[in-house]
Amino acid sequence: MAALGAAGAPAILQTRGLTKTYAGVQANVDVDFDLPTGQIRALIGPNGAGKSTFVGMLCGRIPATRGTVMFDNKDISRLPAHRRIRLGIAYTFQITSVFTGLSVRENVALAAHRAGGTEATVTEVLARVGLSDRADQPAGDLSYGHQRILEIAMGLAQKPRLFILDEPTQGLAESEVAEFKALIRGLSGTTILLIEHNMSVVMETAQFITVLNHGAILAEGTPEQIRANPHVQAAYLGTEDA
Protein backbone atom coordinates (compact mmCIF):
# COMPACT_ATOMS: atom_id res chain seq x y z
CA MET A 1 0.00 0.00 0.00
CA ALA A 2 1.38 3.39 -0.99
CA ALA A 3 2.30 5.77 1.81
CA LEU A 4 0.17 8.89 1.95
CA GLY A 5 1.46 12.42 2.33
CA ALA A 6 -0.05 15.02 4.58
CA ALA A 7 -2.47 16.12 1.87
CA GLY A 8 -3.82 12.59 1.41
CA ALA A 9 -2.17 12.06 -1.99
CA PRO A 10 0.39 9.26 -2.39
CA ALA A 11 3.74 10.50 -1.06
CA ILE A 12 6.66 10.06 -3.43
CA LEU A 13 9.13 11.23 -0.75
CA GLN A 14 9.03 10.86 3.02
CA THR A 15 11.48 11.35 5.86
CA ARG A 16 11.07 10.13 9.41
CA GLY A 17 13.24 11.34 12.29
CA LEU A 18 15.85 12.67 9.85
CA THR A 19 18.70 14.13 11.87
CA LYS A 20 22.20 15.39 11.09
CA THR A 21 24.72 16.21 13.79
CA TYR A 22 28.10 17.88 13.18
CA ALA A 23 30.48 17.67 16.16
CA GLY A 24 27.59 17.73 18.58
CA VAL A 25 25.71 20.53 16.78
CA GLN A 26 22.39 19.46 15.25
CA ALA A 27 21.85 20.86 11.76
CA ASN A 28 18.54 18.98 11.41
CA VAL A 29 16.52 17.47 14.22
CA ASP A 30 13.93 14.68 13.78
CA VAL A 31 12.46 16.01 10.53
CA ASP A 32 9.26 14.23 9.45
CA PHE A 33 8.47 15.35 5.91
CA ASP A 34 5.91 14.19 3.32
CA LEU A 35 5.92 15.28 -0.32
CA PRO A 36 2.86 14.15 -2.33
CA THR A 37 3.33 13.07 -5.94
CA GLY A 38 2.79 15.93 -8.39
CA GLN A 39 3.07 18.74 -5.86
CA ILE A 40 5.21 21.87 -6.18
CA ARG A 41 6.58 22.32 -2.65
CA ALA A 42 8.77 25.19 -1.46
CA LEU A 43 11.26 24.78 1.37
CA ILE A 44 12.07 28.08 3.05
CA GLY A 45 13.73 29.36 6.20
CA PRO A 46 16.35 31.83 7.43
CA ASN A 47 20.05 31.31 6.77
CA GLY A 48 21.34 28.51 8.97
CA ALA A 49 17.91 26.88 9.24
CA GLY A 50 19.24 23.56 7.90
CA LYS A 51 17.79 23.66 4.38
CA SER A 52 21.00 22.72 2.54
CA THR A 53 21.79 19.90 4.97
CA PHE A 54 18.26 18.52 4.67
CA VAL A 55 18.37 18.57 0.88
CA GLY A 56 21.84 17.02 0.94
CA MET A 57 20.44 14.10 2.92
CA LEU A 58 17.57 13.74 0.45
CA CYS A 59 19.97 13.66 -2.51
CA GLY A 60 22.49 11.36 -0.83
CA ARG A 61 25.33 13.87 -0.79
CA ILE A 62 25.24 14.09 3.02
CA PRO A 63 24.84 10.96 5.19
CA ALA A 64 22.19 11.22 7.90
CA THR A 65 23.17 10.73 11.52
CA ARG A 66 19.88 8.93 12.03
CA GLY A 67 16.42 8.64 10.51
CA THR A 68 15.10 7.39 7.20
CA VAL A 69 14.49 8.70 3.68
CA MET A 70 11.79 6.88 1.70
CA PHE A 71 11.33 7.33 -2.05
CA ASP A 72 8.34 5.65 -3.65
CA ASN A 73 7.97 3.44 -0.55
CA LYS A 74 11.61 2.29 -0.78
CA ASP A 75 14.14 3.02 1.96
CA ILE A 76 16.95 4.91 0.20
CA SER A 77 18.62 6.17 3.38
CA ARG A 78 21.92 4.44 2.62
CA LEU A 79 21.96 4.75 -1.16
CA PRO A 80 24.68 7.00 -2.66
CA ALA A 81 23.69 10.01 -4.74
CA HIS A 82 24.17 8.34 -8.14
CA ARG A 83 21.83 5.49 -7.18
CA ARG A 84 19.17 7.98 -6.15
CA ILE A 85 19.53 9.75 -9.49
CA ARG A 86 18.85 6.46 -11.26
CA LEU A 87 15.66 6.06 -9.23
CA GLY A 88 14.40 9.36 -10.60
CA ILE A 89 15.67 12.12 -8.30
CA ALA A 90 17.19 15.03 -10.23
CA TYR A 91 18.54 18.23 -8.73
CA THR A 92 20.21 21.48 -9.70
CA PHE A 93 22.77 23.28 -7.58
CA GLN A 94 23.05 26.94 -6.53
CA ILE A 95 26.00 27.27 -8.94
CA THR A 96 25.45 26.58 -12.63
CA SER A 97 26.92 23.32 -13.91
CA VAL A 98 26.38 23.44 -17.67
CA PHE A 99 29.05 22.43 -20.18
CA THR A 100 29.92 25.86 -21.55
CA GLY A 101 31.85 24.54 -24.56
CA LEU A 102 28.90 22.51 -25.85
CA SER A 103 25.76 23.78 -27.52
CA VAL A 104 22.47 24.08 -25.68
CA ARG A 105 21.15 21.06 -27.57
CA GLU A 106 24.25 18.98 -26.76
CA ASN A 107 23.94 19.78 -23.04
CA VAL A 108 20.34 18.59 -22.99
CA ALA A 109 21.18 15.56 -25.15
CA LEU A 110 23.84 14.42 -22.67
CA ALA A 111 21.34 14.61 -19.84
CA ALA A 112 18.66 12.85 -21.87
CA HIS A 113 21.07 10.05 -22.81
CA ARG A 114 21.57 9.20 -19.12
CA ALA A 115 17.86 8.44 -18.86
CA GLY A 116 17.57 6.65 -22.20
CA GLY A 117 15.98 9.65 -23.90
CA THR A 118 15.99 10.33 -27.63
CA GLU A 119 16.46 13.35 -29.87
CA ALA A 120 12.69 13.77 -29.69
CA THR A 121 13.05 14.12 -25.92
CA VAL A 122 15.65 16.86 -26.41
CA THR A 123 13.44 18.76 -28.86
CA GLU A 124 10.43 18.48 -26.56
CA VAL A 125 12.32 19.70 -23.49
CA LEU A 126 13.90 22.64 -25.31
CA ALA A 127 10.45 23.73 -26.45
CA ARG A 128 9.04 23.28 -22.96
CA VAL A 129 11.56 25.66 -21.39
CA GLY A 130 11.63 28.14 -24.27
CA LEU A 131 15.15 27.47 -25.52
CA SER A 132 14.37 26.05 -28.98
CA ASP A 133 15.64 29.18 -30.73
CA ARG A 134 18.95 28.91 -28.86
CA ALA A 135 19.48 25.17 -29.42
CA ASP A 136 22.66 25.56 -31.48
CA GLN A 137 24.14 28.38 -29.42
CA PRO A 138 27.16 27.57 -27.22
CA ALA A 139 25.96 27.27 -23.65
CA GLY A 140 28.80 29.54 -22.53
CA ASP A 141 27.33 32.38 -24.60
CA LEU A 142 23.99 32.29 -22.75
CA SER A 143 23.15 34.85 -20.11
CA TYR A 144 23.39 33.63 -16.54
CA GLY A 145 19.61 33.42 -16.38
CA HIS A 146 19.37 31.33 -19.51
CA GLN A 147 22.11 29.04 -18.20
CA ARG A 148 19.91 28.41 -15.15
CA ILE A 149 16.99 27.62 -17.47
CA LEU A 150 19.29 25.26 -19.41
CA GLU A 151 20.09 23.48 -16.15
CA ILE A 152 16.37 22.96 -15.60
CA ALA A 153 16.07 21.62 -19.14
CA MET A 154 18.89 19.17 -18.43
CA GLY A 155 17.07 18.02 -15.31
CA LEU A 156 13.77 17.61 -17.15
CA ALA A 157 15.51 15.63 -19.91
CA GLN A 158 16.24 12.96 -17.31
CA LYS A 159 12.47 12.56 -16.84
CA PRO A 160 12.74 12.90 -13.07
CA ARG A 161 10.05 11.67 -10.74
CA LEU A 162 11.27 14.27 -8.23
CA PHE A 163 13.02 17.48 -9.28
CA ILE A 164 14.89 19.40 -6.57
CA LEU A 165 15.80 23.00 -7.42
CA ASP A 166 18.28 24.64 -5.03
CA GLU A 167 18.12 28.46 -5.12
CA PRO A 168 17.36 28.53 -8.88
CA THR A 169 16.73 32.31 -9.05
CA GLN A 170 19.93 33.31 -7.25
CA GLY A 171 21.69 35.95 -9.33
CA LEU A 172 18.86 36.36 -11.84
CA ALA A 173 17.67 39.72 -13.13
CA GLU A 174 14.06 40.68 -12.41
CA SER A 175 12.96 39.85 -15.96
CA GLU A 176 14.65 36.45 -15.71
CA VAL A 177 12.90 35.75 -12.40
CA ALA A 178 9.58 36.45 -14.13
CA GLU A 179 10.50 33.93 -16.85
CA PHE A 180 11.41 31.37 -14.18
CA LYS A 181 8.05 31.80 -12.44
CA ALA A 182 6.22 31.19 -15.71
CA LEU A 183 8.36 28.13 -16.39
CA ILE A 184 7.68 26.55 -12.98
CA ARG A 185 3.95 27.23 -13.24
CA GLY A 186 4.04 25.41 -16.57
CA LEU A 187 5.53 22.27 -14.99
CA SER A 188 2.29 21.21 -13.32
CA GLY A 189 2.24 17.46 -12.73
CA THR A 190 5.99 17.32 -12.07
CA THR A 191 6.89 16.79 -8.40
CA ILE A 192 9.15 19.71 -7.46
CA LEU A 193 10.95 20.63 -4.26
CA LEU A 194 11.99 24.28 -4.53
CA ILE A 195 14.53 25.72 -2.09
CA GLU A 196 14.23 29.45 -2.53
CA HIS A 197 14.81 32.78 -0.74
CA ASN A 198 12.84 34.96 -3.17
CA MET A 199 9.45 35.11 -1.49
CA SER A 200 7.59 36.34 -4.57
CA VAL A 201 8.79 33.20 -6.39
CA VAL A 202 7.72 31.02 -3.47
CA MET A 203 4.30 32.57 -3.03
CA GLU A 204 3.51 32.62 -6.76
CA THR A 205 4.69 29.12 -7.72
CA ALA A 206 4.42 26.78 -4.70
CA GLN A 207 1.24 24.91 -3.89
CA PHE A 208 2.48 24.11 -0.36
CA ILE A 209 5.31 25.43 1.79
CA THR A 210 7.49 23.88 4.49
CA VAL A 211 9.34 26.28 6.80
CA LEU A 212 12.54 25.16 8.54
CA ASN A 213 13.98 26.97 11.54
CA HIS A 214 16.83 25.82 13.80
CA GLY A 215 16.96 22.53 11.87
CA ALA A 216 13.34 21.56 12.52
CA ILE A 217 10.00 22.13 10.79
CA LEU A 218 8.44 25.31 12.14
CA ALA A 219 5.28 25.32 9.99
CA GLU A 220 3.68 23.88 6.87
CA GLY A 221 0.74 25.07 4.82
CA THR A 222 -0.49 26.84 1.72
CA PRO A 223 1.12 30.15 0.75
CA GLU A 224 -1.81 31.99 2.33
CA GLN A 225 -1.47 30.03 5.58
CA ILE A 226 2.29 30.59 5.74
CA ARG A 227 1.97 34.29 4.99
CA ALA A 228 -0.49 34.66 7.89
CA ASN A 229 1.41 32.47 10.38
CA PRO A 230 2.71 34.66 13.24
CA HIS A 231 5.50 32.20 14.11
CA VAL A 232 6.78 32.28 10.53
CA GLN A 233 6.53 36.06 10.45
CA ALA A 234 8.59 36.33 13.61
CA ALA A 235 11.23 33.79 12.56
CA TYR A 236 11.59 34.54 8.88
CA LEU A 237 9.23 36.75 6.95
CA GLY A 238 9.48 39.74 9.26
CA THR A 239 8.66 42.87 7.36
CA GLU A 240 9.56 41.41 3.97
CA ASP A 241 7.07 41.90 1.22
CA ALA A 242 5.99 38.25 0.97
Side-chain angles (χ1 to χ4, degrees):
M1 180 177 177
L4 296 180
I12 192 168
L13 180 75
Q14 291 184 308
T15 70
R16 290 294 178 266
L18 201 60
T19 299
K20 181 62 181 180
T21 301
Y22 294 102
V25 178
Q26 290 184 315
N28 288 117
V29 188
D30 293 325
V31 179
D32 293 346
F33 178 80
D34 298 272
L35 179 59
T37 301
Q39 186 181 84
I40 299 177
R41 173 79 63 97
L43 180 68
I44 68 171
N47 289 332
K51 302 185 299 295
S52 295
T53 300
F54 179 65
V55 171
M57 289 189 288
L58 298 182
C59 297
R61 292 182 285 115
I62 297 175
T65 302
R66 68 171 186 269
T68 59
V69 180
M70 304 288 293
F71 183 69
D72 194 22
N73 279 344
K74 299 179 181 68
D75 187 342
I76 63 169
S77 306
R78 287 176 168 73
L79 290 185
H82 70 274
R83 293 277 303 279
R84 300 187 196 200
I85 291 171
R86 289 177 192 166
L87 290 175
I89 299 176
Y91 53 89
T92 64
F93 297 103
Q94 294 180 27
I95 303 171
T96 56
S97 55
V98 301
F99 297 99
T100 56
L102 300 179
S103 71
V104 169
R105 183 186 303 279
E106 287 168 335
N107 269 273
V108 178
L110 279 174
H113 179 71
R114 297 188 198 121
T118 64
E119 183 59 34
T121 303
V122 176
T123 300
E124 175 191 346
V125 168
L126 288 173
R128 193 175 185 187
V129 302
L131 287 178
S132 296
D133 60 341
R134 302 173 189 269
D136 298 318
Q137 186 174 343
D141 290 350
L142 295 177
S143 69
Y144 182 78
H146 281 113
Q147 286 189 18
R148 299 312 302 257
I149 298 298
L150 174 56
E151 273 196 312
I152 293 173
M154 293 166 68
L156 291 173
Q158 298 174 55
K159 299 181 179 178
R161 302 178 63 203
L162 168 61
F163 199 3
I164 300 175
L165 303 175
D166 192 358
E167 299 287 356
T169 67
Q170 183 172 288
L172 299 193
E174 190 172 332
S175 61
E176 294 170 332
V177 171
E179 289 179 20
F180 175 81
K181 290 177 187 176
L183 172 59
I184 294 301
R185 286 194 291 263
L187 298 181
S188 59
T190 301
T191 307
I192 295 174
L193 180 58
L194 175 67
I195 300 87
E196 182 58 66
H197 274 105
N198 187 317
M199 293 310 298
S200 72
V201 173
V202 169
M203 294 296 176
E204 292 177 34
T205 62
Q207 298 162 335
F208 205 78
I209 299 171
T210 296
V211 185
L212 282 183
N213 194 36
H214 300 302
I217 292 179
L218 174 66
E220 292 189 305
T222 64
E224 294 76 18
Q225 291 169 331
I226 294 301
R227 191 197 301 269
N229 188 304
H231 300 294
V232 176
Q233 291 174 359
Y236 182 51
L237 297 180
T239 58
E240 285 187 45
D241 180 14

